[in-house]
Amino acid sequence: MVREKDIILRSLDWTTIVLYLMLGTMGWLAICGASYSYIETNIWEFFALSERTGKQAMWIGISIIAGMVLMFIDKRSYEFSSRFVYAALILLGILTIFISKDIKGSRSWITIGSFGIQPAEFMKFGTTLALASIMNKYGFSLNNRSDFLKCLAITMLPLIV
C-alpha cells in the first residue's frame, strides 16, 4: 500500500530542491569567504547570529522550513488568503516609508534589534501569489483586456509603493 508520505516525496521537484540547496550553500560560502580572516576564526563563529554568515545560515534554515510548511497547505487556502497577504504587504510597504531608518541613503529596511528586513522582498511573494490567484480563475486570458489590466494593476502597485 502506498502511503501519503511516499506520494508527497515522489511528487517533489527534486531538481529544484537540489539547485536551491546548492545555490544557498554557495551564497553562504561566498559570504564566509568575504567576511573572515581564517587564521583567527573559530569554526563556530560562522554560525554566530551576530555575524553575517550566521544570519545568512539562519535565513536559509527558515526558508527551508517555510518551504516545507507551504507544501502541506491546501490549494484553496492559497486562493482564499492571496488577497489578504497582498493587501497586508502593500500596507507594510507603505508603513516602511514612515518607520524605516535611513540606511546608506535608502529608507527601505525595517530594523528589529540587530536584524533588518526589507518588505519589498516579501512583496515579491505576495505579488506572485495574487497573480497566481487571478490567473487560476476559469476563463482567464491575458488577451482579455479586463484580465490583462487586473494583472497589470497587481504588478504595478508594489512598484508605486
Side-chain angles (χ1 to χ4, degrees):
M1 178 181 255
V2 180
R3 296 183 307 190
E4 186 177 334
K5 178 182 168 187
D6 294 334
I7 293 170
I8 291 172
L9 289 176
R10 275 192 250 141
S11 69
L12 294 177
D13 183 357
W14 287 103
T15 304
T16 302
I17 292 170
V18 169
L19 287 173
Y20 174 79
L21 292 173
M22 287 173 52
L23 286 171
T25 302
M26 287 188 290
W28 182 75
L29 289 173
I31 292 172
C32 288
S35 302
Y36 288 97
S37 165
Y38 295 104
I39 297 170
E40 304 167 0
T41 303
N42 178 343
I43 190 72
W44 296 111
E45 286 181 41
F46 289 108
F47 299 100
L49 292 179
S50 60
E51 302 292 332
R52 289 183 179 147
T53 53
K55 288 179 186 177
Q56 183 72 11
M58 178 195 69
W59 287 115
I60 290 170
I62 288 172
S63 71
I64 290 170
I65 291 168
M68 288 191 294
V69 168
L70 290 172
M71 250 180 13
F72 293 103
I73 296 176
D74 184 47
K75 177 181 128 179
R76 291 180 301 254
S77 297
Y78 286 117
E79 291 172 5
F80 174 75
S81 64
S82 65
R83 291 182 184 112
F84 300 113
V85 169
Y86 183 75
L89 289 170
I90 290 292
L91 290 174
L92 183 61
I94 293 168
L95 184 64
T96 301
I97 296 168
F98 300 106
I99 66 169
S100 63
K101 296 177 182 174
D102 188 357
I103 299 175
K104 297 182 183 177
S106 174
R107 296 186 59 88
S108 60
W109 289 81
I110 296 176
T111 54
I112 303 166
S114 65
F115 292 100
I117 63 166
Q118 198 170 19
E121 295 301 320
F122 296 101
M123 195 63 227
K124 294 173 189 175
F125 165 74
T127 303
T128 304
L129 188 61
L131 282 172
S133 177
I134 293 289
M135 292 178 167
N136 193 38
K137 302 259 188 277
Y138 180 77
F140 173 85
S141 174
L142 279 177
N143 293 328
N144 179 340
R145 185 180 177 131
S146 173
D147 289 341
F148 176 76
L149 290 175
K150 285 178 189 175
C151 289
L152 186 63
I154 289 171
T155 306
M156 295 305 289
L157 186 59
L159 295 175
I160 295 168
V161 173

